Amino acid sequence: MLFVLNMILFLLGLFIIIRESNLIKKVIGLNIFQSSVFIFYLIISKVDGGVPPILNDDQLIYSNPLPHVLILTAIVVGIATTSLALALIIKVKQKYNSIEEHELDKI
Amino acid sequence: MNQLPVLIIVLPLLIAPILLLVRDNRHVYNLSLGVSFLNILLILILFQDVYQNGNILYELGSWKAPIGIRLNADLLSCYFLLLINFMAFICLIAGNKTIKSQVEDDNIHLFYIAWLLCNVGFSGIVLTNDIFNLFVFLEISSLASYFLISQGNYKASSLAAIQYLFIGSIGAVFILFAIGILYVNTGTLNMTDLSNKIRSGSISLSMSLSIAMFLIGVGIKTALFPLHGWLIRTYSYAPSIIVSYFSGTSTKIGIYILLRVFLDIFNSINPLEYYNLAQLILFLSLIGVLLSTLYAIKQNEIKKMLAYSSVAQLSYIIIAIMLLTPDGLTASLIHVFNHSIIKTGLFLVVTVLFINNKNVSIGDFSGLGEKYPLLMSAFVILLLGLIGLPLTSGFISKWYLISAILQSDYWYISGVILITSFMTFFYAWLLIEKIYFSARLNHDASVATSYQLLCVYFLAALTIYLGVDTSLTFGISEQISNNFYSTINQ
């Protein structure tokens, strides 16, 4: 069930990037798109009844920490991408005075 | 333990933030040139070592392989590593003057830093043996390249950069998803470990999803037809020196990932054959070759023409891989090297001649043969290499490509290759005619400095040299493809 919801989020993000003409909305779509994959990594790392992997004598079942670490890296990459995209959008706006893609293509 | 693989990545990565403190454009340029020269020396030593003693493994922080991250320098990595860093070095030498006139003054030191980071990303991709690491390096190089593209002096440069950012990020996220699915199925991220754990019996639905997502991600990176739109836009609006650099490296990295994922990680299930993916990609590429060559003839703007020709040449490389024979792989690897040299050389001529980087049309070349006889003869040699006439390296790649095709099941494709070669001859002839048989226009082609010209002559000489002596390209490519196919057949 979770995977299905996740796939819906994934396709939704992709749809927004392709369909939207406003560049800011496209960035939002890109964020949703990326987040869906981050959530996918979190889903797969969860173990039923698992606790955070902190060394402790009583608990033996813990969630897989590796995907969390991987996603931490991927989130950083995502932030960098978003900020670079926003910076580029500012430059586009300065040059064209518009951020609607269908208007930009005409100029 | 041999420290070379990690040095090649870490050295420029350390220098890049230091350059941020230096700020002075001249010093930044000299330092980045120095670093890339040092890198080439290190790579040559590494290459020789790998060639003689087999692949070198380097465990980062001495954490053992499946748990820690490992670098793996094998012959394939070294081949691409040499190509990429050599192109970076040549373009850095040739680019100094054009960067000064095209990039804003305040941004020049940032430009070189981004260039170094981009190159670190490329080197990292080819050296790493950890598939998640590959994604991280891919993003490092992509983020740097979005910045580099946005620095062009066209109005549309930032727009081209942001459009490339969207499509590039989509590709990267697809690859990230595919890596996640692989991890669920195998519980490892190490490539060697992955290829051991993926066995023929274990093709599940999720594994096919992973393969499909890899294909989309890699297809975007390699500008596989019909995912090639970004390449035309970015090549038209980026700073011209960056176009020369990317034409030899960025898409070739896509080819590397394609080889690494589909022929190395998935070698025991061989998805290209299993799902008939090879046939699909082959026919897509065939359409790609035909259409992009047609478009190249139609273009009046030289950078767009060369960009379309790049798509066509990349399709040749992909066609050769998709034959799924050792000969095909050899041909593709030879063409990767030769095409990089030829196309970088062609773009460099445009860069060197037209420093202001405004839309350069074919007409701007009229009568230049008279004005710059030596530079134009180098240009013509490179063009002949692109067509694939004898005595140039293009002929060698076409020769191996066609003989590989004739020996495979798809012999009829060779007709398409021949037809498109003639079409290439047609648009190359348009240029040659303008250069030598047209009256001189009052154009603004400028005189380049001597070391820039030297780079172009060097690449043209290399085109002829590789067309005569094929021991470097053919010898090593053959060895790589034999290694690959001996593991597949086991």
Side-chain angles (χ1 to χ4, degrees):
Chain A
M1 185 59 198
L2 274 177
F3 287 113
V4 175
L5 282 176
N6 191 28
M7 274 318 273
I8 291 173
L9 206 57
F10 182 83
L11 294 175
L12 213 60
L14 191 59
F15 181 76
I16 295 173
I17 302 176
I18 294 168
R19 191 70 183 79
E20 272 300 327
S21 140
N22 186 311
L23 290 177
I24 298 276
K25 286 183 184 164
K26 277 189 165 213
V27 174
I28 296 171
L30 186 63
N31 271 307
I32 296 173
F33 187 53
Q34 284 174 333
S35 306
S36 76
V37 180
F38 301 165
I39 294 168
F40 171 75
Y41 272 73
L42 298 184
I43 296 171
I44 62 174
S45 70
K46 178 65 182 163
V47 177
D48 279 341
V51 295
I54 297 167
L55 200 60
N56 153 339
D57 294 339
D58 339 316
Q59 287 289 350
L60 287 173
I61 302 172
Y62 56 86
S63 296
N64 187 354
L66 184 67
H68 291 100
V69 180
L70 299 181
I71 276 330
L72 219 51
T73 318
I75 287 173
V76 174
V77 170
I79 289 171
T81 313
T82 309
S83 49
L84 183 63
L86 291 176
L88 288 174
I89 291 172
I90 292 174
K91 281 193 86 176
V92 171
K93 170 83 178 166
Q94 280 168 353
K95 282 183 184 164
Y96 289 90
N97 203 24
S98 165
I99 53 167
E100 295 287 334
E101 208 164 39
H102 61 91
E103 289 174 15
L104 295 176
D105 286 338
K106 282 181 209 151
I107 303 169
Chain B
M1 195 156 43
N2 196 327
Q3 306 287 337
L4 280 175
V6 76
L7 266 182
I8 289 164
I9 298 174
V10 165
L11 201 68
L13 203 56
L14 276 179
I15 296 290
I18 295 173
L19 292 183
L20 202 56
L21 301 175
V22 174
R23 294 189 74 97
D24 179 62
N25 289 344
R26 252 178 68 96
H27 292 307
V28 169
Y29 173 70
N30 290 338
L31 271 171
S32 33
L33 197 63
V35 170
S36 54
F37 182 65
L38 201 61
N39 245 6
I40 289 184
L41 290 184
L42 292 178
I43 288 162
L44 285 175
I45 298 169
L46 179 76
F47 202 145
Q48 203 188 13
D49 207 355
V50 170
Y51 189 67
Q52 282 166 355
N53 308 325
N55 55 344
I56 295 173
L57 300 172
Y58 181 87
E59 256 119 27
L60 286 172
S62 298
W63 287 90
K64 286 277 169 283
I67 295 169
I69 291 170
R70 192 166 66 180
L71 302 180
N72 176 11
D74 60 4
L75 218 47
L76 180 69
S77 336
C78 288
Y79 189 71
F80 277 85
L81 203 58
L82 182 68
L83 179 71
I84 289 155
N85 284 277
F86 173 68
M87 288 305 159
F89 184 61
I90 291 275
C91 291
L92 266 176
I93 296 177
N96 190 12
K97 195 177 167 192
T98 50
I99 288 170
K100 266 181 204 152
S101 64
Q102 284 171 23
V103 181
E104 284 169 41
D105 236 13
D106 299 337
N107 288 347
I108 288 181
H109 69 288
L110 296 175
F111 190 83
Y112 286 118
I113 292 166
W115 193 331
L116 275 188
L117 287 177
C118 189
N119 207 46
V120 167
F122 289 151
S123 307
I125 291 171
V126 291
L127 275 175
T128 186
N129 195 25
D130 182 283
I131 193 156
F132 191 79
N133 219 321
L134 187 142
F135 164 76
V136 174
F137 278 123
L138 186 69
E139 281 293 27
I140 291 176
S141 62
S142 310
L143 283 170
S145 61
Y146 305 145
F147 171 76
L148 290 173
I149 289 162
S150 75
Q151 292 304 304
N153 57 351
Y154 290 92
K155 195 180 175 191
S157 292
S158 338
L159 190 61
I162 188 128
Q163 282 169 337
Y164 180 36
L165 184 143
F166 285 127
I167 189 135
S169 300
I170 291 175
V173 170
F174 268 108
I175 290 178
L176 183 66
F177 210 144
I179 292 169
I181 297 169
L182 269 189
Y183 179 70
V184 178
N185 275 292
T186 58
T188 180
L189 290 168
N190 184 286
M191 291 181 191
T192 321
D193 212 20
L194 272 172
S195 71
N196 288 335
K197 283 193 175 155
I198 300 171
R199 282 273 151 254
S200 324
S202 69
I203 302 183
S204 54
L205 196 63
S206 61
M207 202 66 108
S208 5
L209 188 63
S210 164
I211 289 164
M213 288 193 167
F214 263 123
L215 193 64
I216 296 171
V218 172
I220 288 174
K221 280 284 151 195
T222 44
L224 175 71
F225 186 85
L227 301 170
H228 65 281
W230 63 268
L231 189 136
I232 312 296
R233 269 199 307 275
T234 51
Y235 279 23
S236 317
Y237 299 119
S240 43
I241 190 67
I242 284 303
V243 180
S244 336
Y245 173 56
F246 279 178
S247 64
T249 52
S250 152
T251 44
K252 304 299 183 300
I253 286 295
I255 302 279
Y256 171 85
I257 301 176
L258 180 81
L259 291 176
R260 199 42 104 191
V261 170
F262 286 97
L263 296 183
D264 194 5
I265 294 178
F266 287 120
N267 70 355
S268 42
I269 54 177
N270 204 351
L272 294 175
E273 205 172 333
Y274 185 84
Y275 293 104
N276 288 334
L277 276 180
Q279 266 174 334
L280 174 73
I281 301 173
L282 196 71
F283 285 109
L284 280 179
S285 304
L286 272 183
I287 301 169
V289 170
L290 280 170
L291 281 186
S292 48
T293 314
L294 271 177
Y295 273 116
I297 294 173
K298 259 178 63 184
Q299 298 303 317
N300 189 33
E301 216 172 296
I302 179 112
K303 274 165 104 183
K304 281 204 171 122
M305 178 205 258
L306 291 177
Y308 274 110
S309 129
S310 274
V311 177
Q313 303 287 328
L314 281 165
S315 304
Y316 285 146
I317 295 171
I318 294 171
I319 286 173
I321 296 172
M322 291 307 147
L323 296 174
L324 296 177
T325 59
D327 292 336
L329 188 53
T330 313
S332 74
L333 288 171
I334 294 171
H335 199 43
V336 163
F337 208 91
N338 291 342
H339 171 245
S340 285
I341 287 169
I342 291 169
K343 197 44 73 58
T344 304
L346 286 172
F347 272 120
L348 266 187
V349 174
V350 180
T351 309
V352 163
L353 269 180
F354 302 97
I355 284 200
N356 63 3
N357 190 26
K358 287 300 163 201
N359 301 353
V360 183
S361 66
I362 297 173
D364 289 334
F365 277 84
S366 326
L368 282 184
E370 220 177 309
K371 200 173 171 190
Y372 304 113
L374 210 53
L375 182 63
M376 279 305 126
S377 47
F379 188 63
V380 169
I381 288 172
L382 290 165
L383 273 178
L384 296 182
L386 192 68
I387 305 164
L389 287 190
L391 283 180
T392 61
S393 60
F395 176 70
I396 303 294
S397 11
K398 286 260 167 70
W399 176 268
Y400 283 113
L401 178 63
I402 287 180
S403 62
I405 288 173
L406 287 178
Q407 281 165 28
S408 73
D409 305 336
Y410 307 101
W411 51 269
Y412 44 89
I413 291 173
S414 55
V416 179
I417 307 289
L418 288 175
I419 290 169
T420 48
S421 293
F422 281 122
M423 280 153 72
T424 314
F425 181 78
F426 187 74
Y427 64 68
W429 178 252
L430 287 179
L431 274 170
I432 294 172
E433 191 196 343
K434 283 276 182 241
I435 291 168
Y436 287 109
F437 305 111
S438 282
R440 237 170 92 180
L441 281 175
N442 197 12
H443 44 62
D444 55 351
S446 55
V447 190
T449 43
S450 55
Y451 54 89
Q452 286 184 313
L453 295 178
L454 220 61
C455 293
V456 177
Y457 299 151
F458 183 63
L459 288 177
L462 214 55
T463 308
I464 292 182
Y465 175 75
L466 290 175
V468 179
D469 176 16
T470 57
S471 61
L472 173 71
T473 46
F474 177 66
I476 289 167
S477 310
E478 197 183 29
Q479 207 172 332
I480 295 169
S481 58
N482 284 342
N483 287 347
F484 262 117
Y485 279 92
S486 63
T487 52
I488 286 177
N489 292 334
Q490 267 170 18

